Amino acid sequence: MEQYEPDRLSPAQVAAMRRSLTNGRAALTRRSLLRASATGALTLGGLGTLSACGIPAAGKTEGGVSSEDRSEKERKVVFSNWTEYMDVDESGRRHPTLEAFTERTGIRVTYTEDINDNSEFFGKIQPQLAAGQDPGRDIIVLTDWLAARLIRLGWVQKLDPANLPHAFTNLSPQFRNPDWDPGRAYSYPWQGISTVIAYNKKALDGIEVKSVSDLLDNPKLKGRVGFLTEMRDSIGMMLLDMGKDPARFTDDDYDAAVARLQKGVDSGQIRRFTGNDYTSDLTKGDFAACLAWAGDVVQLKADSPDVDFVIPDSGYLTSSDNMLIPNRARHKTNAERLIDYYYEPGPAAELAAYINFVCPVDGVKDELAKIDEDAANNPLIIPDKAMQAKSHAFRSLSAKEETAYEEKFAKLTGA
């Protein structure tokens, strides 16, 4: 188990967090960028506890510490999630799948959309977890790199397979064995997040784009290409294009990927590195093609006939947002029952139909087709086996690697 120490973040890491908060994936509501204006501005306040003096040490705990499980006495579960990452009814106030769970089980769900950014949320729960105290939540949803961190620190509980029969059976193969949680002993994906190439057919005007190399090498696209400010996405897609595995790359491989992108910057081939604001450039045609997140592409395609996507033969990046049960959570069994519920095809289909991210549940296509046939046939929501085979994950990084890689990427992007 990793020992918890007060980590001093480098300026590059702080800059990366700020990019994520202001225009990276964290700035996008999980439903759609097109609805982001309704959610209000995000705060950078969470960075205050993570920058300059580093994360304050608040003690150490042993891994997988449970509290008295009050699930039988207290028929409730407290669930913290990202904004607009749950199905809602037409009123916008009720969550049909959660209500159906309560009706079936008698377990009341206190559902809170209080996660706007991984680092900011970590700042909220870190003092309690480090001190071995109840964080006041039974389920939290974190992106894979931070989920990995909490598992290494021993701050989340090991799941009981007996309470997760649907999750164990129906978890999609592409999500089963991340290097940070082999076999999913501590986590289950809430949704997947894929990075693909999106393009504007009108802006391309017959130019063929099938790979990252096409983005960087075709002179007809000079100044009309976009990459992402999220390091793992841009570097991961570059590594795949170079024939390298993002799950097993070396320092030299990373440097080669940065150099390849630097050439595109220096030549003017790359217009800019963006967060979610690439959607505006893409729909207007300022970007002829760019790296994009699949959840955005689903929405953009629905609103613009000119927008489409391609999966390179070399593959694409997939990360995930993951459900975990923190130490000292008071309703572990109830939490496991809720996790398992969302791996039943019916509830999984209802969720997928609303939020349009990559569904991690196998066998959901027929159920989803009853709700939305287009969504059921969309490989960005329900990847077929061929597409699943092209999915790759960016490997876990040590603290030293994280610092070095973010510094190099910051120089590349001018952050």
Side-chain angles (χ1 to χ4, degrees), residues 215 224-228 270-274 287 289-291:
L215 298 180
R224 299 193 295 144
V225 167
F227 280 76
L228 293 167
I270 297 175
R271 183 183 184 94
R272 66 191 184 104
F273 289 81
T274 71
F287 280 163
C290 63
L291 296 190

Side-chain angles (χ1 to χ4, degrees), residues 309-386:
F309 74 98
V310 64
I311 302 296
D313 288 339
S314 59
Y316 66 102
L317 259 291
T318 301
S319 57
S320 57
D321 288 328
N322 310 276
M323 295 177 282
L324 306 103
I325 300 176
N327 284 354
R328 302 296 183 184
R330 297 188 178 189
H331 311 100
K332 181 174 184 287
T333 299
N334 291 345
E336 288 168 337
R337 291 186 67 181
L338 183 57
I339 292 171
D340 194 62
Y341 168 76
Y342 279 105
Y343 275 82
E344 296 179 25
E350 291 184 57
L351 185 65
Y354 184 78
I355 63 177
N356 294 161
F357 278 76
V358 181
C359 181
V361 182
D362 255 0
V364 76
K365 184 173 183 177
D366 290 345
E367 289 294 326
L368 182 55
K370 298 174 184 178
I371 304 170
D372 186 336
E373 190 169 350
D374 288 340
N377 292 317
N378 190 330
L380 296 181
I381 300 174
I382 308 293
D384 57 24
K385 290 184 178 179

Side-chain angles (χ1 to χ4, degrees), residues 66 128 148 251 317 382 389 391:
S66 63
Q128 290 81 18
D251 288 348
L317 259 291
I382 308 293
S391 172

